[in-house]
Amino acid sequence: MTEPYMRVEKIVKKFGPFTALNGVDLEVYPGEVHALLGDNGAGKSTLIKTLAGVHEPTSGQIYIEGKPVKFRSPRDASAAGIGTVYQDLAVNQLMSVTRNFFMGREMKGTFGAMKMDEMDKIAHDEMLKIGIDFSDPTQAVGTMSGGQRQTLAIARAIYFGAKVLILDEPTSALGQKQQMEVLKTVKRVRARGDIGIIFITHNEIHSKLVADRYTFLALGQVIGAGTKQEIEEGADIRKLMAGGAEMADLEQELASI
Ligand SMILES: Nc1ncnc2c1ncn2[C@@H]1O[C@H](COP(=O)(O)OP(=O)(O)OP(=O)(O)O)[C@@H](O)[C@H]1O
Ligand SMILES: [Mg+2]
């Protein structure tokens, strides 16, 4: 088996007296989708913010290609190849697709003028590589569908060097067809073979469609983890997703009202 690009060991994150993460381990391999699941408040977003340099862990260690690292800012994490696409996509609706793609990293010529033609071409080509032919990147982002916006954010993260691509519930705000578009994008990124994806979802069907590996969180702890085969053949995914609660019991309770 290949080495994980990123490995986290015994990550603890406390907010004052509250422990949001309590000894979490996770490995991300290139060319794999690692589904991260768990009920509301399980600690999924806190974990990825810790990996993305937004939160400093209270204790525990992050390794990149086997070497211990410490991220003091999102910039540090980004430089180490951690690319994060948050659910509320920080895009400016009125700005062009290209300007959003290059936000904060614009290509400029000798006199400081932006190289718009070059940037337009790159934005278009990079999105095409992972599945959307958005022919006119000079259009406003507001004209894109939700699925296309996810693809824009993913293409941008990859172009700027992501080796671990973190997607926080990329399908949750989308309709059925667009959800499938985003899942296709995820599979195309995986097919490159050099990028590992952390895919956060509440959707069991979506995770089964793309996951190679699973980690389930509940109350800040890992309550289940394994390869696709181990989990899909040997574990009760719905129970793990519900933080260990028996879904049959919850459904029976519901039916009795
Ligand atoms: N900045 C913070 N300060 C204090 N508590 C926090 C902070 N961020 C998160 N928490 C708490 O940590 C716990 C885990 O939250 P987190 O957002 O990581 O859960 P989640 O698994 O992403 O849930 P969801 O599925 O609802 O997005 C929650 O109880 C939350 O209230
Ligand atoms: Mg969350």
Side-chain angles (χ1 to χ4, degrees):
M1 195 193 287
T2 47
E3 286 297 303
Y5 180 78
M6 178 170 72
R7 185 161 66 84
V8 306
E9 215 175 71
K10 298 192 181 69
I11 292 287
V12 174
K13 178 63 190 174
K14 294 188 180 179
F15 294 110
F18 179 74
T19 304
L21 297 173
N22 195 3
V24 173
D25 296 340
L26 186 86
E27 290 176 344
V28 183
Y29 292 86
E32 279 196 8
V33 176
H34 193 140
L36 180 61
L37 299 107
D39 234 338
N40 298 117
K44 304 180 297 294
S45 294
T46 303
L47 177 60
I48 63 152
K49 284 179 185 162
T50 307
L51 306 181
V54 176
H55 294 320
E56 200 178 323
T58 307
S59 61
Q61 185 63 57
I62 301 173
Y63 299 88
I64 298 287
E65 294 183 308
K67 293 189 205 71
V69 292
K70 195 167 177 179
F71 301 145
R72 290 190 174 77
S73 66
R75 194 174 285 264
D76 281 356
S78 170
I82 314 299
T84 312
V85 176
Y86 292 103
Q87 191 178 342
D88 54 357
L89 295 181
V91 292
N92 185 329
Q93 307 265 4
L94 298 174
M95 273 193 172
S96 74
V97 171
T98 300
R99 290 300 302 277
N100 273 280
F101 190 98
F102 283 94
M103 184 84 67
R105 290 152 155 166
E106 290 80 5
M107 295 167 69
K108 292 188 178 153
T110 8
F111 298 106
M114 280 197 260
K115 298 180 170 177
M116 281 316 299
D117 291 349
E118 242 172 282
M119 293 197 295
D120 283 339
K121 180 166 176 8
I122 291 169
H124 170 265
D125 293 354
E126 293 301 311
M127 287 191 297
L128 185 60
K129 277 185 202 165
I130 55 170
I132 53 167
D133 190 0
F134 200 79
S135 52
D136 184 7
T138 65
Q139 282 187 56
V141 165
T143 64
M144 292 181 123
S145 71
Q148 288 177 325
R149 282 177 217 187
Q150 284 285 343
T151 302
L152 163 64
I154 292 168
R156 173 172 61 187
I158 293 171
Y159 180 71
F160 289 107
K163 289 286 171 259
V164 173
L165 179 68
I166 301 176
L167 306 176
D168 195 356
E169 306 215 32
T171 53
S172 67
L174 305 177
Q176 299 277 341
K177 243 173 100 180
Q178 293 190 24
Q179 291 177 355
M180 291 304 132
E181 290 302 319
V182 172
L183 294 175
K184 272 197 231 164
T185 299
V186 169
K187 290 192 81 171
R188 287 198 187 97
V189 174
R190 171 172 67 188
R192 292 171 46 121
D194 61 337
I195 294 174
I197 300 160
I198 299 179
F199 182 78
I200 298 181
T201 180
H202 276 108
N203 190 312
E204 180 187 349
I205 299 168
H206 292 176
S207 59
K208 280 185 173 164
L209 287 171
V210 297
D212 300 296
R213 194 175 290 276
Y214 289 84
T215 292
F216 296 88
L217 284 183
L219 300 175
Q221 283 182 303
V222 175
I223 57 164
T227 60
K228 179 180 182 69
Q229 196 184 8
E230 286 163 353
I231 296 294
E232 290 179 8
E233 289 173 14
D236 183 343
I237 293 183
R238 295 178 72 210
K239 181 174 174 179
L240 288 167
M241 285 178 73
E246 289 290 354
M247 285 306 290
D249 291 349
L250 297 178
E251 280 161 10
Q252 212 169 6
E253 204 180 306
L254 181 66
S256 71
I257 297 171

